[in-house]
Structure formats: C-alpha cells, structure tokens
Amino acid sequence: MKKVLYGITALLFITALVSCHRHHRYRTTTIVMNNDTVSMKIKYAGNVGFNADSTDISHISPEGFLEYKKNEIELIVDSDTAGQLTTNLYEKRKKIPIDDNGQKLIAEAVKEMIGQQVHTRGR
C-alpha cells in the first residue's frame, strides 16, 4: 500500500513539475497597479515586442507569455516552441472574439503596456 501511495505522490509531483516548466525558462516579471477605479496587472516572461504602430504584439520569445488584465478585460498571449503566438481575449472571464472590437481592446492594452514600459527587447 505504501508503494502505491509513494508512486501516486511521485507521479503527481512530476506532473506538476512538467506543467510548470514553461514558466521557468525565462524570468517572470509582474507589474501591479491599483487605485480606486483601476486594477491592472501585467505579467510576462521572455522578450515581448510590439508592432510599429503600437497596436498589437508582434512577437514573444519561444515559450514565453504575456498576461494583461485591466478591470474586466484580460489578454493572454502565449508563444509556442517555434515562437507562434496564440492570443485569447476575455471580458468578465468570458472569451470574446478578436474582431474589430477585440482588436481595439488589444490596441488599448498594448498602449497601456508601452506606457508601463513592458518593452523588454535585449533583456
């Protein structure tokens, strides 16, 4: 019985270790700002780059990520091992499409992040 318990514990530990691996490749930076009307959190790992007109994320280092949350809007961008980006946008925890309105929300988020100096090239 003890061998089974140790085996299950070891399996759970290995699973947790592997699932957290992505976030350990790069140093993670978190910026938090709160006041009476705004709650903002920016968290990223790897080098993050924005396009020339500051309206979108152009690249993130392979296996890096960017998480932006301001009040009820949340933007999560993950980079796979080849540097391909996957972008998800949420409002009040409900996934919303990246249509014209979604692109406007992303552009606003990018401008906020640039204002907070989340431009990490060369790090």
Side-chain angles (χ1 to χ4, degrees), residues 98-117:
I98 302 176
D99 52 13
D100 288 344
N101 187 46
Q103 280 301 132
K104 287 178 187 176
L105 291 173
I106 291 171
E108 290 172 16
V110 167
K111 289 180 189 310
E112 288 272 353
M113 287 184 274
I114 289 171
Q116 298 304 317
Q117 300 180 1

Side-chain angles (χ1 to χ4, degrees), residues 29 31 33 40-45 48-51 54-60 65-70 73-77 87-89 105-120:
T29 300
I31 300 168
M33 293 178 31
M40 183 168 44
K41 181 178 180 180
I42 303 166
K43 184 176 179 181
Y44 63 94
V48 177
F50 304 106
N51 64 358
S54 301
T55 58
D56 207 353
I57 293 92
S58 61
H59 71 275
I60 299 175
F65 68 92
L66 170 69
E67 298 173 358
Y68 165 90
K69 184 172 183 182
K70 182 177 179 186
I73 301 296
E74 189 170 5
L75 171 66
I76 300 173
V77 185
T87 303
N88 291 294
L89 189 59
L105 291 173
I106 291 171
E108 290 172 16
V110 167
K111 289 180 189 310
E112 288 272 353
M113 287 184 274
I114 289 171
Q116 298 304 317
Q117 300 180 1
V118 181
H119 201 345
T120 62

